[in-house]
Amino acid sequence: MKKQEIFNIFAQNKSNRIIEGESSGILNWDDIRLPQMYKLYRVLIGNHWIPSEIPMNVDKSDFPMLPTNTQNTFKRIIGLLAVLDSMQTMFVGDVREYLTDSSLEAVAAIIGQQEVIHNQSYSYVLSSLVSYTEQLEIFEYWKNDPILLKRNLFIRDAYQAFRESPSPETFFKALVADMVLEGIFFYAAFAFFYNLARDQKMLATSQMISYIQRDENQHCYFFAELYKQLLIDFPQLNIEQNKTFVYNFMDEAVRHETEWAEYVLDGIEGIDLDEFRGYIRHIANNRLRLMGLPAAYEGVSNSMPWIRPFSDEALNDTLTDQFEAKPRTYTKASQDNDWDDL
Ligand code: ZN
Ligand code: ZN
């Protein structure tokens, strides 16, 4: 696959394909092929946040009071998230090189930056709650924990295949893996932190997780748009065999996330694992619909409606007062955004 040239004087600014296309390399937001990318760009910019602006002092006093199993789950989950966002920074960087559309490349640049910020939040949270030695250990969990390793390799293999031999086929599979990483693999973590927040515990960490979920929802939208556009630009990929691949991959992802939830959330007060099993299928259905595909699982619904980003009003009413945090001033564009409930 060819990389986008820095500039190509023979091509138009507006691209003709998302990869393997022709475009000048110059970005003019008023001359782009997929106009929804300008709206997405503004939403992403409006959602900007910085972990270190969220004071950790209340969480610092909450953490030692949590039951030991809850503390262990907290550390395991942060250990997972740190790997997911690290992988994601690299993957988005790989994708950027091959996008032959300046608006997509620009949005990917912002998304890559957000993944770096997500990683900053994990270091920031741990440095506030545990010793430096323990922080280093938590960032190593993924190497030694077989369940963690298995689910991370599942994504890593698809990303690595694209890195090693980039082609429309490996790109297609990597996009499906991306939908799983950003759209399925965070959900046991969201359940865990929002459950703590319902109990008024670890509210600063949960606030960061809420911002991360808001970002990830937009990233899912972006990659689903890439997925659908890829099938339009490369109709030879729009075949039954690939559709089967998507459903099988999603189904395996649901199994991984369920197994992970059973492993880390078992015995956590307030979490009903049966409910989570149905809920994660409901989320998988949503991801498939976003990709323009029919749902895979029947008889499931949004049984855990409290797993969603906190609204800015709720944050301003409760959390901000409690933490005496600076009021957030970045968000201007996110209110008109319809993708938050995806
Ligand atoms: Zn992220
Ligand atoms: Zn993301």
Side-chain angles (χ1 to χ4, degrees):
M1 232 159 85
K2 69 168 200 254
K3 290 185 183 177
Q4 168 64 31
E5 291 175 47
I6 298 285
F7 65 64
N8 174 351
I9 54 173
F10 303 108
Q12 297 180 7
N13 290 346
K14 195 184 268 185
S15 84
N16 58 350
R17 286 205 291 196
I18 63 168
I19 52 166
E20 300 280 81
E22 294 287 331
S23 78
S24 69
I26 303 305
L27 174 61
N28 173 2
W29 284 116
D30 291 325
D31 184 22
I32 58 176
R33 183 177 175 218
L34 304 169
Q36 67 271 37
M37 289 301 145
Y38 184 53
K39 185 180 173 191
L40 175 60
Y41 164 74
R42 285 183 298 129
V43 170
L44 289 169
I45 294 290
N47 284 349
H48 178 65
W49 62 284
I50 299 169
S52 43
E53 285 188 352
I54 301 170
M56 282 295 293
N57 47 322
V58 180
D59 283 26
K60 215 171 163 174
S61 49
D62 282 349
F63 191 71
M65 311 300 283
L66 297 174
T68 312
N69 69 330
T70 306
Q71 289 188 24
N72 289 338
T73 296
F74 188 103
K75 292 185 251 178
R76 276 199 188 122
I77 288 182
I78 296 281
L80 162 76
L81 296 180
V83 177
L84 295 186
D85 275 306
S86 301
M87 267 203 275
Q88 207 50 24
T89 305
M90 283 186 276
F91 175 62
V92 178
D94 285 353
V95 168
R96 267 187 73 187
E97 293 191 350
Y98 296 97
L99 292 171
T100 50
D101 180 306
S102 303
S103 73
L104 297 178
E105 198 184 336
V107 170
I110 307 292
I111 290 178
Q113 185 208 29
Q114 292 187 332
E115 305 301 8
V116 173
I117 291 173
H118 298 172
N119 255 100
Q120 184 200 348
S121 67
Y122 310 134
S123 303
Y124 173 63
V125 163
L126 290 182
S127 67
S128 315
L129 300 179
V130 300
S131 70
Y132 180 59
T133 317
E134 198 168 12
Q135 178 182 349
L136 295 184
E137 275 167 27
I138 293 167
F139 271 80
E140 297 286 310
Y141 277 179
W142 66 277
K143 289 182 187 163
N144 307 314
D145 187 319
I147 294 185
L148 201 48
L149 188 58
K150 190 168 64 172
R151 52 179 273 147
N152 291 336
L153 285 176
F154 176 61
I155 301 294
R156 180 260 185 208
D157 288 349
Y159 284 3
Q160 189 69 23
F162 174 64
R163 174 172 278 213
E164 280 168 17
S165 45
S167 70
E169 289 73 24
T170 54
F171 186 53
F172 172 88
K173 290 183 176 171
L175 290 181
V176 181
D178 181 281
M179 292 303 291
V180 165
L181 190 156
E182 306 197 273
I184 308 261
F185 273 8
F186 278 86
Y187 275 79
F190 293 150
F192 175 71
F193 289 112
Y194 297 163
N195 182 56
L196 283 174
R198 289 199 296 180
D199 209 14
Q200 299 296 307
K201 301 266 166 55
M202 308 306 288
L203 290 172
T205 307
S206 299
Q207 182 177 357
M208 285 179 237
I209 295 293
S210 170
Y211 290 149
I212 290 171
Q213 185 180 10
R214 189 174 63 178
D215 292 343
E216 298 306 348
N217 280 349
Q218 306 303 330
H219 304 174
C220 279
Y221 170 79
F222 175 70
F223 281 101
E225 289 298 295
L226 288 191
Y227 172 88
K228 288 186 286 187
Q229 196 60 45
L230 181 70
L231 296 185
I232 295 168
D233 291 355
F234 293 82
Q236 65 272 29
L237 291 174
N238 198 2
I239 52 173
E240 212 47 44
Q241 189 191 333
N242 279 346
K243 217 177 264 182
T244 308
F245 171 84
V246 174
Y247 282 97
N248 289 341
F249 201 90
M250 276 288 169
D251 203 45
E252 203 176 332
V254 164
R255 278 201 300 279
H256 280 302
E257 190 63 10
T258 306
E259 190 186 16
W260 169 249
E262 286 162 354
Y263 175 54
V264 291
L265 299 181
D266 188 30
I268 300 292
E269 208 186 311
I271 302 266
D272 179 335
L273 279 174
D274 264 339
E275 204 176 41
F276 186 81
R277 286 181 197 102
Y279 174 77
I280 203 65
R281 284 168 174 74
H282 160 76
I283 292 295
N285 281 347
N286 285 354
R287 299 308 167 221
L288 290 164
R289 285 196 205 99
L290 196 59
M291 295 159 83
L293 291 164
Y297 307 99
E298 283 177 21
V300 292
S301 60
N302 185 7
S303 52
M304 300 172 103
W306 45 273
I307 303 181
R308 61 184 162 84
F310 309 146
S311 70
D312 277 341
E313 296 81 58
L315 286 171
N316 288 336
D317 287 352
T318 58
L319 302 178
T320 315
D321 289 350
Q322 192 166 346
F323 298 133
E324 297 173 6
K326 279 190 231 166
R328 286 170 35 73
T329 50
Y330 304 112
T331 304
K332 290 177 189 74
S334 65
Q335 300 309 321
D336 64 346
N337 144 27
D338 351 85
W339 308 308
D340 260 1
D341 292 330
L342 297 174

